[in-house]
Amino acid sequence: MNALSRYMLGQLLTATFLTAGILTALVVLLRSLRLFDLVVNRGVSFGTLAEMTFYVAPPSFAQLLPIGLLVGVLFTYARLSAERELVVMRAAGMSQLALARPVLALSL
């Protein structure tokens, strides 16, 4: 993998995990608000609430990672296109497959 592919992969990783992390935080917040009812009405401790919220995060992240990947790829390639970096990469001799290789590596 050459330097340009590693650069693109780094951009993709950042955008993907940032998006998936934000979406996971939103889902955990929404689910913890439902669990907050247990604290108010039934007297469950905040430690138990935090523990139950902690158990919600990993499955949510696994479900939202493909959506984060899609948004990350779209955002990264749109930004690279807007800044004309894709044009420079194509002029440097990178093929369409070489431009898609970081996405394929990340998706696997």
Side-chain angles (χ1 to χ4, degrees):
M1 192 175 281
N2 62 10
L4 289 175
S5 293
R6 284 194 307 269
Y7 168 73
M8 290 175 62
L9 185 61
Q11 296 294 317
L12 288 166
L13 280 169
T14 302
T16 298
F17 285 113
L18 186 64
T19 304
I22 290 171
L23 289 174
T24 302
L26 288 172
V27 167
V28 167
L29 178 67
L30 290 173
R31 289 191 182 167
S32 68
L33 289 175
R34 282 190 223 154
L35 295 174
F36 194 69
D37 181 50
L38 294 173
V39 173
V40 173
N41 292 332
R42 298 197 183 156
V44 176
S45 69
F46 280 107
T48 306
L49 175 70
E51 183 179 348
M52 292 171 70
T53 303
F54 178 74
Y55 289 135
V56 168
S60 298
F61 186 77
Q63 292 171 348
L64 293 172
L65 192 57
I67 297 169
L69 178 65
L70 174 67
V71 171
V73 168
L74 292 175
F75 174 76
T76 301
Y77 276 93
R79 190 183 58 77
L80 290 174
S81 178
E83 295 177 358
R84 303 288 187 225
E85 292 182 45
L86 288 178
V87 173
V88 171
M89 290 178 195
R90 289 286 299 170
M94 289 184 76
S95 66
Q96 294 285 33
L97 180 62
L99 290 174
R101 193 169 290 132
V103 175
L104 295 173
L106 183 59
S107 64
L108 291 177

